[in-house]
Amino acid sequence: ATTKAADAAPPFAIMAEELGYFPVRNSVGELTYLPARIQRHSTPQAISFAEFLSKKRVVMVGAYWCPHCRRQKELFGAEAFSKLSYIECGASGYNQKTPCPVDAFPTWVQNGNTIASGELPLSALAEKLDYNGIDASLEDNLPLLIGASACQQ
């Protein structure tokens, strides 16, 4: 008898890791998704900028499945992003907010008003808020551009 390897999909955990989000059960047993952990470390200026955004009550609105949201978080780095307010709008996202206050991700909101939408370098977001503490040349080890952003270079 000859045996043939089964044609099987990779385990869900591997697919989720590649996509950048992970399945978990919430407190009532529903399946929800956590975004991937931010890998990049923050620069001191990114941390200062995040503290400024927090004081100004600027909030990032995004979705766990959004690759641009994931990259925006990486641009801040783990330490800086932990200081920011974030609203999860992805259906089945962990701690999802309903209804979602925006139509596109990522979006930066202050007091209910949209400041900026789309994935932005820290310097571009800082400029929209009249914050002068970001020197783009000091931001190293940035994640690669994705999607249409990568085609514009």
Side-chain angles (χ1 to χ4, degrees):
T2 306
T3 58
K4 181 181 173 190
D7 292 326
F12 186 79
I14 291 172
M15 290 188 294
E17 182 177 339
E18 289 175 2
L19 292 172
Y21 46 88
F22 303 89
V24 296
R25 298 263 174 210
N26 65 15
S27 60
V28 293
E30 300 167 328
L31 185 64
T32 62
Y33 295 90
L34 290 174
R37 213 175 253 132
I38 299 170
Q39 301 297 314
R40 183 172 174 266
H41 289 287
S42 302
T43 61
Q45 68 177 359
I47 294 170
S48 294
F49 184 39
E51 290 168 345
F52 168 84
L53 293 172
S54 182
K55 285 179 189 170
K56 294 289 187 180
R57 298 180 187 219
V58 175
V59 177
M60 180 182 156
V61 181
Y64 69 91
W65 49 260
C66 171
H68 300 288
C69 298
R70 184 176 180 186
R71 185 166 187 277
Q72 186 73 76
K73 293 174 185 179
E74 290 290 342
L75 290 173
F76 273 93
E79 299 83 3
F81 196 78
S82 72
K83 297 179 179 300
L84 296 173
S85 294
Y86 174 76
I87 295 174
E88 174 61 56
C89 285
S92 299
Y94 192 76
N95 289 332
Q96 176 207 15
K97 178 178 170 73
T98 309
C100 186
V102 300
D103 295 327
F105 307 122
T107 296
W108 293 92
V109 177
Q110 182 182 38
N111 300 323
N113 299 312
T114 297
I115 295 169
S117 287
E119 176 186 317
L120 295 170
L122 298 187
S123 58
L125 182 58
E127 190 175 305
K128 291 184 177 291
L129 290 153
D130 295 323
Y131 181 82
N132 298 319
I134 297 291
D135 178 349
S137 70
L138 298 177
E139 291 298 310
D140 57 356
N141 198 25
L142 295 176
L144 297 175
L145 290 172
I146 55 174
S149 299
C151 297
Q152 295 172 3
Q153 294 220 339

